[in-house]
Amino acid sequence: MRNFTCVQDIGNLQDALKEAFEIKNDRFKYVELGRNKTLMMIFFNSSLRTRLSTQKAAMNLGMNVMVLDINQGAWKLETEREVIMDGDKPEHILEAIPVMGSYCDIIGVRAFAQFENRDEDYQEMIINQFIEHSGRPVFSMEAATRHPLQSFADLITIEEYKKTPRPKVVLTWAPHPRALPQAVPNSFAEWMNETDYDFVITHPQGYELDPAFVGKAKVEYDQMKAFEGADFIYAKNWAAYSGDNYGKILSTDRSWTVSDRQMAVTNNAYFMHCLPVRRNMIVTDDVIESAQSIVIPEAANREISATVVLKRLLEGLR
Ligand code: CP
């Protein structure tokens, strides 16, 4: 594998899952693979899970790790061409990227949507510049439109917990006080659409995702109806995608907060969320603390998805 930014990069999902469970059974099996290889993790945005799980994955593979927080201690980077750099950004990303590439073997990048211009966000300018100019394999640690390491971990988790071959999986919008990117719901939909699960998306009017990500999913505007008979509830907030509303909050309707009321009509569904989660906005204390909440094993599987991806990127170096 040369780069990892979307579900297509992982290839056959059954093969990827088989590898994930092999690694989960013995996470140090490939500890020699990364000897004297260096991972550089570059964060334009904050992280807890991605930072720690990806670093642990690299350690599982025997790699050295360097971490750079662009906004804490590094020079501020200009990202546009043809800008007269007389402001507060002393370095251009087009020099910084190949310099960073010269110190490592593999690069992970986290760069969220800016919400200033939808086309620019959906062109994934930052991560694509790393792919073009670093000379190294690049993987997404959440980009503007996708979070594939999270989605792969979500898939591993569903496979571990599902009780039927074709579970009903519901992605539900839930309220949040800040405008959040569509990367997690886009990516989750993209990965679910590669399975044969019964996949439903529910959200208030105006929160339609990019049709390219919705794919073959059923969209149901009535949240209670969507939850009926569900085996997995995957909650997430996202800001509006459509037209002039791009990046805006259109609703803070707390009747969409996942509570016992909605969970009661499911098939004793498991509750999932990528974390961090705002309690009693996205989900009630009772639901996230219930026996059906699998948010912690879901987060733990981030180490497994990252180990599979780094292993494949290391194999691609040969
Ligand atoms: N789920 C996830 O990516 O968590 P972090 O933002 O803490 O990395």
Side-chain angles (χ1 to χ4, degrees):
M1 189 163 67
R2 179 63 191 172
N3 299 300
F4 176 70
T5 64
C6 63
V7 70
Q8 283 75 28
D9 291 334
I10 202 86
N12 182 286
L13 279 192
Q14 290 311 317
D15 291 347
L17 283 165
K18 197 171 156 208
E19 214 168 306
F21 291 121
E22 177 197 40
I23 283 169
K24 192 153 184 176
N25 200 38
D26 178 5
R27 56 197 75 199
F28 298 107
K29 184 170 180 180
Y30 299 99
V31 70
E32 292 302 319
L33 192 60
R35 182 192 289 274
N36 294 332
K37 297 285 187 247
T38 299
L39 167 66
M40 185 178 286
M41 301 200 297
I42 299 162
F43 289 92
F44 287 83
N45 306 94
S46 302
S47 167
L48 186 154
R49 277 143 292 274
T50 303
R51 179 183 303 256
L52 297 178
S53 63
T54 309
Q55 186 160 355
K56 176 62 166 64
M59 289 155 65
N60 292 347
L61 295 162
M63 298 183 79
N64 304 308
V65 182
M66 295 191 287
V67 183
L68 181 67
D69 289 288
I70 292 291
N71 297 320
Q72 289 170 16
W75 302 114
K76 276 193 182 174
L77 294 179
E78 177 56 63
T79 56
E80 304 284 341
R81 287 190 72 248
E82 298 180 8
V83 168
I84 297 169
M85 290 173 57
D86 59 356
D88 67 341
K89 294 174 179 169
E91 177 146 28
H92 202 285
I93 197 166
L94 292 177
E95 283 79 56
I97 288 174
V99 169
M100 291 188 265
S102 73
Y103 303 141
C104 65
D105 300 282
I106 295 174
I107 299 180
V109 180
R110 166 165 283 203
F112 291 173
Q114 304 286 314
F115 280 155
E116 286 163 12
N117 180 311
R118 188 176 83 176
D119 289 343
E120 284 183 11
D121 284 344
Y122 273 68
Q123 281 165 17
E124 293 283 10
M125 194 179 73
I126 301 274
I127 196 160
N128 282 330
Q129 283 181 321
F130 274 91
I131 289 170
E132 194 175 343
H133 300 295
S134 69
R136 302 294 175 204
V138 171
F139 66 98
S140 168
M141 299 195 298
E142 186 171 344
T145 65
R146 293 178 175 89
H147 193 358
L149 283 174
Q150 179 66 52
S151 308
F152 187 15
D154 297 334
L155 177 67
I156 294 166
T157 311
I158 292 171
E159 285 293 305
E160 285 180 319
Y161 282 84
K162 75 180 187 184
K163 293 177 187 140
T164 60
R166 192 168 175 268
K168 179 176 178 181
V169 178
V170 178
L171 167 63
T172 182
W173 178 93
H176 195 280
R178 298 181 60 188
L180 298 186
Q182 294 107 24
V184 169
N186 281 347
S187 204
F188 186 71
E190 183 172 69
W191 284 67
M192 291 299 103
N193 277 319
E194 290 294 315
T195 72
D196 63 356
Y197 302 160
D198 177 8
F199 179 49
V200 178
I201 304 175
T202 184
H203 54 73
Q205 296 274 357
Y207 278 97
E208 292 76 14
L209 294 166
D210 180 349
F213 290 101
V214 175
K216 65 185 182 188
K218 182 179 177 208
V219 177
E220 171 58 67
Y221 292 100
D222 181 334
Q223 191 191 34
M224 289 299 282
K225 205 166 160 193
F227 273 46
E228 281 172 14
D231 298 297
F232 292 88
I233 299 298
Y234 193 99
K236 186 71 185 81
N237 173 267
W238 62 90
Y241 167 76
S242 300
D244 290 344
N245 285 329
Y246 179 66
K248 290 187 181 155
I249 295 174
L250 305 181
S251 169
T252 52
D253 181 357
R254 298 248 320 270
S255 73
W256 281 77
T257 302
V258 178
S259 70
D260 288 335
R261 177 178 65 87
Q262 295 102 320
M263 295 301 282
V265 302
T266 68
N267 183 27
N268 198 25
Y270 289 108
F271 176 82
M272 300 177 74
H273 188 281
C274 62
L275 306 180
V277 68
R278 289 189 185 237
R279 286 179 176 220
N280 304 307
M281 288 295 297
I282 301 283
V283 58
T284 62
D285 291 316
D286 286 346
V287 170
I288 200 166
E289 291 172 5
S290 74
Q292 293 308 104
S293 171
I294 53 172
V295 296
I296 305 303
E298 179 186 359
N301 277 333
R302 291 291 307 274
E303 176 188 342
I304 306 304
S305 64
T307 307
V308 173
V309 167
L310 282 174
K311 170 183 172 282
R312 289 183 172 202
L313 292 172
L314 284 167
E315 287 167 344
L317 293 176
R318 288 172 176 169

